Amino acid sequence: MGKAARTGGDAAWSRIRGAGRRAWVGVVIAAACAFHGVVGAGQLTAVQASPVAPPGSASSGLQVLHWWTSSSERKAANLLAARLAGEGVQWQDAAIPGGAGIGAGKVLKGRVLAGDAPEVTQIIGVSVAEWGEMGLLLELDNAAGADNWNSFLFPTVQNLITYRKHTLAAPLGIHRVNTLFYNRALFARLKLAPPRTWNEFDAAAARLQALGVQPLAQSSEPWQVATLFENLVLAESGPEFYRELFVRRSPQAAADPRTARALQRLRIVKGWANGAPAERSWTEVVRRFARGEAGMMIMGDWAKAELGEHRMVLDQDYGCAGAPGSGQYHLYSVDTLSMFAGDYRHVQAQEKMARLLLSASTQADFNVLKGGVPVRRDADPGRMDSCARASWTIFGKGAAVQAPSMVHRMAVDEASRDAIIAEVHRYFIDDRAPVAVAQRRLAALFRLFNLTSQGAPGAQNTDRGR
Ligand code: BGC
């Protein structure tokens, strides 16, 4: 095993590392958050500056930047912190609120620019390769080699964490973004089965509406709208076309009738969500569903963990199924933590952490609290609930049934993702916006992206080797 290193040499790092950098941290975080409106006064978890150790000496405190701030997410993060403490490594929390890491991504950039990268950070999907390309991430090849990650990781996960043959992230869990949650009492009362197609969904929605219950809990927050849209594209066309649209970003795919139908369907579904849903956080959407204010909800399975916080019991109070039209597919988001190399003072602790995160017991326990499933092919399905078992089994069928979530950075780089989300949101908000115009605007965006890049490094184009 070679010595720990980072992709690209020290040049990139020394360009951004500066003296007195810690003084800037608070300013940068506060400015980034205020600018992007992600954090209200007092909401930001204090970032504890670790005592500055002389270069070269080992340090066992690791600052971890992440966006797990809901009550269930906190419990899952606390489990990691406790396990880490058991190994003599202190987890210094730097949590940034904002679903899907919209705020965290921006804060991370600000901090790195200020020369104050955290030792560990939640960056997921294509972002791993984006940061890897800058040469800032610690190669975790020693940890991966020592425990032979290759032998048990799902190939898609393996792909996500590998860049230029180096392991640049430690994977924690897989979320299924095409999950339908339904209220069992309401469905029993109406003698409804969970809808398997969007037509069945309409029929169930009409019955709920007639009962005076809002059919679908949905927010108009841009990333949540785009999540619904990617679900609709997958249902309409399957994973192959989905990748044409979101991974290869083909202008022809944007103009395709299948995209038109997904956009039309988005408008119909908006009608089932009260016509003009407010911009609610995902936790608020979950709360409303838990209170019985809506009969169904489509969200990543992190919502399952949060439903537990509202004392909702799976298979009793609510059911979990694949979203309509996509029951045999897996729209995934894989959570990963990467490490910044810095001056290598933290390597020992960072490698220890990476190995701990991948251990069979951490994977099993963390994912029970988090709502996802282990990244390991050898995980024990006996430790999973019915929802998790279905997710893990379908994901295990491989690339043909998998679709990388665009919203959760699995398909495209961050800038392209933000632009696509904004476009879909613009269409969603304005009921008079013609479908054809939305398609043309998406096609124009794709042409622009394809001019500036030949596809994002690390994009989950499962048809292509890396
Ligand atoms: C992450 C999840 C998280 C969710 C909501 C996703 O991008 O993969 O871990 O719970 O966002 O913030």
Side-chain angles (χ1 to χ4, degrees):
M1 279 180 288
K3 93 170 197 30
R6 67 170 75 90
T7 45
D10 291 333
W13 189 256
S14 51
R15 270 202 303 280
I16 60 162
R17 193 169 52 210
R21 63 193 195 205
R22 298 224 175 254
W24 286 96
V25 181
V27 178
V28 171
I29 294 179
C33 293
F35 180 73
H36 297 288
V38 292
V39 183
Q43 262 184 294
L44 187 65
T45 309
V47 173
Q48 295 171 6
S50 43
V52 181
S57 69
S59 169
S60 59
L62 299 178
Q63 201 185 98
V64 188
L65 189 149
H66 61 91
W67 63 87
W68 295 321
T69 52
S70 80
S71 149
S72 57
E73 289 174 332
R74 273 260 55 108
K75 283 188 180 158
N78 287 347
L79 172 107
L80 299 180
R83 294 271 161 104
L84 208 57
E87 302 256 336
V89 179
Q90 195 203 343
W91 169 299
Q92 294 166 349
D93 204 63
I96 310 293
I102 302 285
K106 293 174 169 65
V107 169
L108 179 66
K109 277 184 198 143
R111 288 198 51 182
V112 173
L113 282 171
D116 188 62
E119 285 78 43
V120 183
T121 182
Q122 185 182 10
I123 46 180
I124 63 177
V126 176
S127 311
V128 173
E130 281 188 277
W131 283 100
E133 185 147 86
M134 287 190 267
L136 303 178
L137 299 183
L138 182 71
E139 292 166 3
L140 297 169
D141 301 347
N142 289 352
D147 294 335
N148 205 3
W149 291 4
N150 246 330
S151 66
F152 57 74
L153 283 180
F154 286 113
T156 300
V157 175
Q158 178 76 42
N159 248 341
L160 269 168
I161 60 168
T162 311
Y163 184 62
R164 297 206 175 126
K165 300 199 165 56
H166 293 291
T167 302
L168 294 187
L172 270 162
I174 304 165
H175 282 300
R176 190 176 189 198
V177 180
N178 58 325
T179 305
L180 168 79
F181 299 92
Y182 58 96
N183 180 311
R184 281 180 66 98
L186 285 170
F187 270 57
R189 191 161 147 204
L190 292 170
K191 296 195 174 44
L192 285 173
R196 280 162 310 174
T197 64
W198 280 101
N199 285 339
E200 287 182 13
F201 179 93
D202 288 341
R207 301 277 310 283
L208 286 162
Q209 186 129 299
L211 197 69
V213 176
Q214 185 176 315
L216 183 72
Q218 171 71 38
S219 164
S220 70
E221 202 184 0
W223 73 268
Q224 296 188 61
V225 170
T227 302
L228 183 55
F229 179 62
E230 63 183 21
N231 263 284
L232 291 169
V233 170
L234 183 61
E236 183 63 48
S237 66
E240 185 45 45
F241 180 80
Y242 178 99
R243 284 198 285 270
E244 262 322 289
L245 191 70
F246 289 129
V247 178
R248 292 179 211 116
R249 296 166 299 177
S250 132
Q252 289 78 14
D256 193 279
R258 285 169 283 190
T259 303
R261 285 199 292 273
L263 285 164
Q264 275 148 7
R265 171 57 73 181
L266 184 61
R267 203 155 265 165
I268 297 171
V269 182
K270 180 183 176 187
W272 294 127
N274 231 2
E279 265 203 30
R280 298 189 172 102
S281 65
W282 72 267
T283 47
E284 179 55 25
V285 175
V286 170
R287 189 173 303 125
R288 286 172 166 257
F289 173 79
R291 281 200 213 115
E293 288 173 24
M296 296 181 278
M297 172 172 77
I298 291 171
M299 201 182 277
D301 50 13
W302 49 84
K304 186 181 68 181
E306 200 64 17
L307 283 169
E309 297 296 296
H310 296 282
R311 299 186 198 292
M312 292 280 281
V313 178
L314 174 67
D315 296 332
Q316 285 179 34
D317 303 316
Y318 73 96
C320 153
S326 68
Q328 72 275 40
Y329 304 136
H330 199 295
L331 181 59
Y332 63 86
S333 171
V334 180
D335 273 321
T336 47
L337 292 179
S338 286
M339 324 265 169
F340 282 99
D343 55 15
Y344 297 111
R345 206 160 15 113
H346 300 277
V347 169
Q348 253 184 350
Q350 287 166 315
E351 289 182 342
K352 205 182 255 187
M353 178 172 186
R355 294 181 67 175
L356 179 87
L357 298 179
L358 270 284
S359 79
S361 85
T362 305
Q363 286 276 319
D365 298 343
F366 172 80
N367 281 295
V368 165
L369 296 178
K370 186 66 178 66
V373 296
V375 293
R376 300 181 63 124
R377 283 186 281 124
D378 60 355
D380 176 9
R383 288 222 46 208
M384 301 176 197
D385 61 36
S386 59
C387 192
R389 209 173 308 122
S391 163
W392 184 77
T393 308
I394 295 171
F395 191 85
K397 292 188 177 156
V401 300
Q402 296 170 353
S405 166
M406 181 274 297
V407 170
H408 295 278
R409 304 176 174 83
M410 301 291 131
V412 288
D413 61 282
E414 189 134 343
S416 307
R417 174 195 78 148
D418 288 350
I420 298 171
I421 290 179
E423 212 42 70
V424 173
H425 184 245
R426 172 203 291 263
Y427 165 83
F428 181 84
I429 289 302
D430 179 2
D431 285 333
R432 288 158 316 165
V435 167
V437 171
Q439 285 182 279
R440 276 205 295 278
R441 293 180 63 101
L442 278 176
L445 266 186
F446 291 174
R447 269 187 221 102
L448 189 71
F449 297 155
N450 296 341
L451 267 184
T452 50
S453 79
Q454 289 302 308
Q460 289 283 283
N461 181 352
T462 36
D463 302 334
R464 185 198 65 188
R466 299 187 55 202

